[in-house]
Amino acid sequence: MRKFTLLAAAAATALSLSACSEKTQDAAETTAESAGNDVANAADKAAAATDELGDKAAAAVDNAAAKTDEMADKAAAKTKQEAAEAEASLHNESVAEAKAD
């Protein structure tokens, strides 16, 4: 009878431990899922921030290109004007006549 009592107590202890182990596994699984979701959310936010920075950088490059084109056009116009003035002076003619040549 004593062996039976010890065996029953051991079985009850094993069942209790397996129940605790199952609860622990469930808690660990929930924690892992939560951590995975946190990582996924952080990755999504980082991707969105990277996209936003990329868009800002592209806009800055476009703006710089437009300004460069504008400055090049102004420089070309100034050079053309100065060339016409030099030709007019050289040929004793008006700047308009030099531009027409």
Side-chain angles (χ1 to χ4, degrees):
M1 178 85 164
R2 186 171 183 160
K3 287 183 181 180
F4 178 73
T5 304
L6 287 174
L7 186 58
T13 302
L15 285 174
S16 296
L17 287 176
S18 71
C20 286
S21 178
E22 187 174 322
K23 287 180 185 177
T24 302
Q25 286 177 349
D26 290 344
E29 183 178 332
T30 301
T31 301
E33 286 177 11
S34 177
N37 290 336
D38 289 346
V39 168
N41 289 336
D44 289 344
K45 287 180 183 178
T50 301
D51 287 345
E52 183 180 342
L53 287 175
D55 292 344
K56 286 181 180 180
V61 168
D62 290 343
N63 187 34
K67 293 284 186 185
T68 301
D69 287 345
E70 181 182 332
M71 291 175 67
D73 291 344
K74 285 181 181 180
K78 184 176 180 182
T79 301
K80 188 174 184 178
Q81 177 65 29
E82 289 174 354
E85 289 171 2
E87 182 181 340
S89 175
L90 185 64
H91 294 286
N92 283 337
E93 60 185 7
S94 69
V95 174
E97 291 172 325
K99 284 184 177 181
D101 290 344

